[in-house]
Amino acid sequence: MFGLWGKKGSNDAWDEISSRELRTRMAGKEVPIIIDVREGYEYEQGHIPGARLMPLGSFVRKLVTLEKSAPYVLVCASGSRSRRAAGVMVKAGFTKVANLRAGMMEWDGKVER
């Protein structure tokens, strides 16, 4: 269906991916846009390099600024808030959506501050 963006996670609407798979996608041909849905203070404590901050509280308002056909990976502290954001994106018509399972707790790659 979408290559690496096929629906192979525990949810049939978006992918649930590991830290390792996110690093693979970041090095691939179709590099995902990483959206961090945590609060600003959490983001400043450390985030995935290049991640865009879009706190969950203002997430819906900012969706109109995003291209629906682009690939996205959502991240938060534990995977819960980003899972909710993934559901919002899918309902809004986004087709290439993934959630970083366990969020920053699982991320074992580089971190920016």
Side-chain angles (χ1 to χ4, degrees), residues 29-97:
K29 287 184 179 181
E30 191 174 25
V31 178
I33 298 165
I34 301 169
I35 298 178
D36 193 318
V37 299
R38 298 176 297 161
E39 296 299 320
Y41 73 92
E42 294 173 290
Y43 180 86
E44 291 172 8
Q45 292 172 356
H47 56 273
I48 297 170
R52 295 183 188 178
L53 177 63
M54 288 179 64
L56 192 57
S58 60
F59 187 76
V60 173
R61 286 193 315 269
K62 294 181 179 181
L63 275 183
V64 297
T65 66
L66 302 177
E67 175 60 44
K68 287 189 177 183
S69 63
Y72 295 94
V73 174
L74 298 154
V75 62
C76 67
S78 67
S80 179
R81 287 176 281 181
S82 53
R83 193 172 300 111
R84 287 196 308 248
V88 168
M89 289 185 86
V90 168
K91 285 181 183 174
F94 290 80
T95 58
K96 298 178 183 177
V97 179

